[in-house]
């Protein structure tokens, strides 16, 4: 990478880091582009060389942070000496991500408030950085290795993600309707039932 490209990358990284700090402390609506540019040490016009507007940098942040969560979960899964079956692999990934969010509640709040399926789909199919993971490839590879066919795998993933995000937000932040530890067995049993619902024929 040349000096100019490296400098551009550093400026973009600085803008993203600064925006995340503002969004998770001051709030998205109360943060201006001038706030971000000033704190990052760049001219306001420079901001527009990298992002269309405040919504664009927010969406890229959500995408990047989501991808990092999946990368960490996949890396941890790959350390396992015994390869679990499809259902258990999904649950282990979910459990790892929940634990990451439980340890970083500001990240949970930021993602939960701003995550849409469109942004999430971009995160798992179009990694922003080299160290991000293409979870879509991992997911469909897992499906290929499963001993049965799965109908509508994208819809199944959508259902699981919606379930996890809606239930864990309240459990982590408010212990409602119960603590996270109490919720997990119910959540994982429901994920197993969702997967069972989408199973088709056994592979020959």
């Amino acid at each position: 990478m040349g000096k100019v490209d490296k400098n551009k990358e550093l400026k973009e990284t600085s803008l993203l880091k600064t925006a995340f700090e503002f969004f998770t402390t001051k709030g998205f609506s109360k943060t201006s582009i001038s706030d971000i540019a000033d704190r990052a040490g760049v001219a306001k016009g420079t901001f527009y060389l990298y992002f269309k507007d405040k919504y664009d940098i927010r969406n890229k942040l959500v995408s990047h942070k989501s991808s990092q969560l999946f990368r960490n979960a996949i890396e941890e899964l790959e350390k396992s000496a015994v390869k679990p079956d499809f259902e258990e692999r999904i649950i282990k990934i979910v459990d790892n991500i929940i634990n990451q969010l439980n340890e970083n509640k500001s990240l949970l709040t930021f993602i939960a408030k701003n995550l849409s399926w469109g942004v999430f789909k971009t995160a798992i199919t179009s990694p922003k950085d080299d160290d991000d993971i293409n979870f879509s490839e991992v997911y469909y590879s897992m499906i290929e290795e499963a001993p049965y066919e799965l109908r509508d795998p994208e819809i199944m993933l959508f259902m699981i993600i919606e379930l996890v995000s809606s239930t864990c937000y309240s459990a982590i932040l408010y212990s409602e309707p119960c603590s996270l530890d109490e919720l997990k067995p119910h959540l994982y049993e429901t994920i197993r039932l969702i997967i069972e619902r989408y199973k088709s024929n056994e592979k020959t």
Side-chain angles (χ1 to χ4, degrees), residues 8-193:
K8 287 174 65 178
E9 184 181 278
L10 289 172
K11 286 182 180 178
E12 183 180 13
T13 300
S14 178
L15 286 166
L16 285 165
K17 182 180 178 181
T18 303
F20 182 70
E21 290 172 356
F22 270 116
F23 294 161
T24 54
T25 55
K26 190 175 180 180
F28 178 77
S29 62
K30 294 180 180 179
T31 299
S32 69
I33 290 173
S34 294
D35 289 333
I36 298 169
D38 289 346
R39 177 75 65 82
V42 301
K44 185 176 179 180
T46 302
F47 175 94
Y48 294 103
L49 296 176
Y50 302 93
F51 310 102
K52 292 185 292 185
D53 50 32
K54 194 168 68 168
Y55 296 93
D56 185 36
I57 194 171
R58 180 197 65 185
N59 290 347
K60 285 187 168 73
L61 269 171
V62 174
S63 175
H64 178 52
K65 294 293 184 180
S66 299
S67 185
Q68 285 183 322
L69 288 171
F70 276 95
R71 182 201 65 197
N72 295 338
I74 294 297
E75 287 179 351
E76 190 62 32
L77 180 65
E78 289 175 347
K79 293 177 183 177
S80 176
V82 179
K83 195 171 186 178
D85 61 21
F86 178 78
E87 290 96 332
E88 291 307 310
R89 291 171 80 184
I90 292 292
I91 289 169
K92 283 181 180 295
I93 290 169
V94 168
D95 186 70
N96 184 283
I97 290 172
I98 290 173
N99 291 338
Q100 289 182 69
L101 293 173
N102 189 40
E103 292 172 3
N104 190 344
K105 293 178 176 59
S106 62
L107 177 59
L108 167 66
T109 303
F110 173 68
I111 289 179
K113 285 183 176 180
N114 299 294
L115 186 63
S116 67
W117 178 246
V119 172
F120 178 79
K121 192 173 178 182
T122 299
I124 64 174
T125 58
S126 304
K128 179 189 175 297
D129 292 333
D130 291 339
D131 64 341
D132 287 347
I133 193 168
N134 187 324
F135 181 70
S136 180
E137 289 182 359
V138 176
Y139 178 61
Y140 280 98
S141 176
M142 289 165 55
I143 289 173
E144 284 293 319
E145 295 172 3
Y148 38 73
E149 302 287 346
L150 286 159
R151 297 179 292 102
D152 301 313
E154 184 174 311
I155 295 174
M156 184 181 77
L157 181 62
F158 171 80
M159 298 295 289
I160 292 171
I161 289 168
E162 286 294 302
L163 169 69
V164 173
S165 61
S166 60
T167 56
C168 288
Y169 182 82
S170 295
I172 290 174
L173 294 182
Y174 311 113
S175 291
E176 293 290 344
C178 58
S179 70
L180 184 61
D181 287 340
E182 291 174 296
L183 178 68
K184 279 183 175 183
H186 301 280
L187 176 63
Y188 300 157
E189 180 60 27
T190 305
I191 290 174
R192 290 187 179 94
L193 290 172

